Amino acid sequence: MNETNNEPGLPARLAAQRLVASVLGKARALDEAFADEVTKGALRDAAAADKGFARAIAGTTLRHLGEIDLIFSRLIEKPLPKRAGPTQTILRTAIAEILFLGVAPHAAVDLAVEAAASDTDARHFKSLVNAALRRLTREADTLRNGIDAERASLPDWLWKSWVKSYGEEAARATIRSQWREAPLDITVKVEADRALWAERLGAKLMPTGSLRLEAGGRIEALPGFEEGAWWVQDLAAAIPARLLGDVKGRDVLDLCAAPGGKTLELASMGANVTALDRSPQRLDRLRRNLARTGLDAGIVVEDAARWQPGRTWDFILLDAPCTATGTARRHPDVLYLKTHADRDRLSALQTRILDHAARLLSVGGTLVYCTCSLERQEGPDQIERFLYRHANFARRPIEAAEVGGLAELVTPEGDLRTLPCHLAEEGGMDGFYAARLIRRT
């Protein structure tokens, strides 16, 4: 992206800096912080280009934060004092612009200095900002020399976890895939209309049945959105619901259902869906999407680990709460908001919900457990422990034909394991795990 007189300027950069500060300083999700900027912040009346550019700067900064901070430490030899205010964030986002977004260096430098000058604390450090960034433009290769950008992109606990689980080569490929902006994947309501909507949208029909477009622009403005012909859903996230098989006319329980992409899938497959989640706010989004698509599902606001409905189901889908480390390509903030303590806490919660779900499944029924995490504790380890506790359950292995013939997505045990680097040349996919279980007695 080259900076021109028509491109977003200072307001977009100030917004991006606030977004990064919200994630790293206040532990707020990037989506949440961005929504506030757009609805009641400085971006409320901004042009679409300003909004998109602010989000791109913030997302790119977080994707490359490890390398950016190593470069920062070479540019600024002494730690900045607390009275420097947002100076570090101004520099971080400007480095992202220059090195990773292709913004004209002079524009990035000048506007970073303007950003510093506009803040009561950072204004005293605008000369430092100017000098540091001008040095970066002259000595970028030297300043980056010796930096392992892939290793720097992950906190220590995640690096160790991914290398142990998948090997260093796959871990590095996964990290590289997270540096790219994710494409837009959609699920079409009527399966027979996939080719039609692929043509209308200029999208590619992927092996698993999802449609893929280049990201960018307003989703609401795309053909078919208003009439509810499709919804946004990552390719990997669209697989687990289909692993239940033919559910037409059958009762299906969707546990931890919000925000509801899998509920929409099941309803579009003709199932009688009961969608349960403990968050009324998140379920509101599902209600809106059901109304837009003309699909129907029963909605229950309850705790999935405690709900006592007084009946069982033949089909249950459990998309369990997790660290969501498999979604970093779309949500780079997750790498800095989640810790190994969160993984352990959520793993314990998954165990409680999974054990309760087992009691809600009829004899002979099918339960699909899934998470958008890359952590073994939230995936295969969880299932191994479950099968040890529940001798009346067994795996029903997933076959390559069920995932578009992509055999690399199926583990030797017969589970689904997608990595962000799968289909890398076509834009990758989120990291997902799923296991299909049957209750024998």
Side-chain angles (χ1 to χ4, degrees):
M1 179 187 302
N2 291 320
E3 184 81 356
T4 71
N5 290 334
N6 295 322
E7 287 187 325
L10 186 59
R13 288 168 169 88
L14 292 175
Q17 291 152 22
R18 286 191 296 272
L19 293 175
V20 172
S22 290
V23 172
L24 300 179
K26 300 178 182 178
R28 295 188 71 199
L30 180 58
D31 283 349
E32 178 185 322
F34 183 70
D36 279 353
E37 283 287 337
V38 169
T39 58
K40 54 188 177 184
L43 292 178
R44 182 177 55 185
D45 299 318
D50 277 338
K51 296 173 184 176
F53 191 48
R55 179 62 183 257
I57 294 173
T60 301
T61 301
L62 294 170
R63 286 188 179 93
H64 297 275
L65 186 64
E67 182 178 2
I68 287 171
D69 279 354
L70 288 173
I71 293 169
F72 177 89
S73 68
R74 295 177 178 184
L75 287 169
I76 309 295
E77 296 178 358
K78 296 180 180 179
L80 290 171
K82 290 183 179 180
R83 60 185 176 85
T87 302
Q88 182 179 22
T89 305
I90 291 169
L91 284 165
R92 280 169 161 169
T93 54
I95 292 170
E97 286 188 57
I98 293 167
L99 295 184
F100 305 112
L101 282 174
V103 172
H106 68 86
V109 174
D110 290 348
L111 284 163
V113 173
E114 277 194 52
S118 70
D119 183 84
T120 55
D121 293 318
R123 67 177 54 172
H124 303 292
F125 297 85
K126 65 180 184 179
S127 295
L128 180 146
V129 169
N130 182 60
L133 293 177
R134 292 197 182 282
R135 181 185 171 197
L136 174 67
T137 63
R138 296 192 306 268
E139 305 175 23
D141 291 342
T142 301
L143 289 165
R144 300 178 78 177
N145 186 45
I147 292 177
D148 184 342
E150 293 159 7
R151 173 64 188 86
S153 292
L154 285 187
D156 286 345
W157 75 276
L158 274 179
W159 172 260
K160 292 174 183 176
S161 172
W162 293 6
V163 170
K164 181 179 180 181
S165 297
Y166 310 110
E168 186 169 338
E169 182 178 352
R172 289 182 177 276
T174 291
I175 293 164
R176 290 194 299 272
S177 72
Q178 293 172 170
W179 289 343
R180 299 189 296 271
E181 190 73 25
L184 179 68
D185 290 345
I186 66 173
T187 300
V188 176
K189 180 171 69 173
V190 179
E191 182 177 350
D193 291 345
R194 287 173 179 169
L196 171 67
W197 282 108
E199 181 178 355
R200 288 186 180 178
L201 293 166
K204 180 175 183 179
L205 179 58
M206 303 299 285
T208 58
S210 294
L211 301 190
R212 174 160 288 182
L213 302 81
E214 290 296 321
R218 291 182 64 248
I219 293 170
E220 297 85 351
L222 292 173
F225 179 85
E226 287 294 337
E227 55 263 50
W230 50 264
W231 56 90
V232 175
Q233 186 177 33
D234 186 81
L235 180 155
I239 296 175
R242 300 171 193 163
L243 299 179
L244 287 172
D246 184 5
V247 294
K248 186 175 182 179
R250 307 296 295 274
D251 291 351
V252 179
L253 177 60
D254 185 3
L255 291 174
C256 308
K262 297 174 184 63
T263 299
L264 296 175
E265 277 188 278
L266 293 167
S268 73
M269 293 159 63
N272 304 314
V273 190
T274 299
L276 180 145
D277 200 278
R278 65 185 299 175
S279 170
Q281 294 78 18
R282 284 165 55 83
L283 283 171
D284 283 344
R285 180 176 170 187
L286 171 56
R287 288 188 177 92
R288 292 193 297 271
N289 277 322
L290 286 170
R292 180 175 64 84
T293 58
L295 295 169
D296 185 58
I299 294 178
V300 178
V301 182
E302 282 284 356
D303 185 338
R306 299 180 180 181
W307 186 46
Q308 299 294 338
R311 60 159 294 187
T312 60
W313 274 261
D314 290 337
F315 298 93
I316 297 177
L317 176 64
L318 170 55
D319 186 0
C322 69
T323 54
T325 52
T327 69
R329 58 203 278 273
R330 298 185 188 276
H331 307 287
D333 50 311
V334 73
L335 302 178
Y336 304 100
L337 297 179
K338 298 296 173 63
T339 67
H340 59 86
D342 293 315
R343 176 197 62 197
D344 296 343
R345 174 181 57 82
L346 287 163
S347 178
L349 175 60
Q350 293 152 13
T351 297
R352 293 198 301 274
I353 298 175
L354 187 54
D355 283 345
H356 190 62
R359 293 189 284 271
L360 300 178
L361 188 70
S362 305
V363 174
T366 300
L367 187 158
V368 170
Y369 167 88
C370 64
T371 64
C372 54
S373 169
L374 293 176
E375 312 319 301
R376 283 194 58 89
Q377 293 92 327
E378 301 180 88
D381 290 355
Q382 188 70 254
I383 294 303
E384 290 302 331
R385 294 193 301 268
F386 174 84
L387 292 173
Y388 179 79
R389 294 191 305 274
H390 299 269
N392 59 328
F393 275 75
R395 272 188 176 93
R396 181 182 161 202
I398 297 162
E399 299 179 3
E402 297 179 89
V403 293
L406 302 174
E408 64 270 27
L409 306 187
V410 181
T411 71
E413 295 77 22
D415 298 340
L416 173 77
R417 164 47 76 200
T418 69
L419 296 174
C421 57
H422 285 142
L423 296 182
E425 294 183 359
E426 299 178 69
M429 65 181 74
D430 282 354
F432 246 87
Y433 171 82
R436 183 167 56 195
L437 307 170
I438 58 170
R439 181 176 177 180
R440 297 182 295 189
T441 60

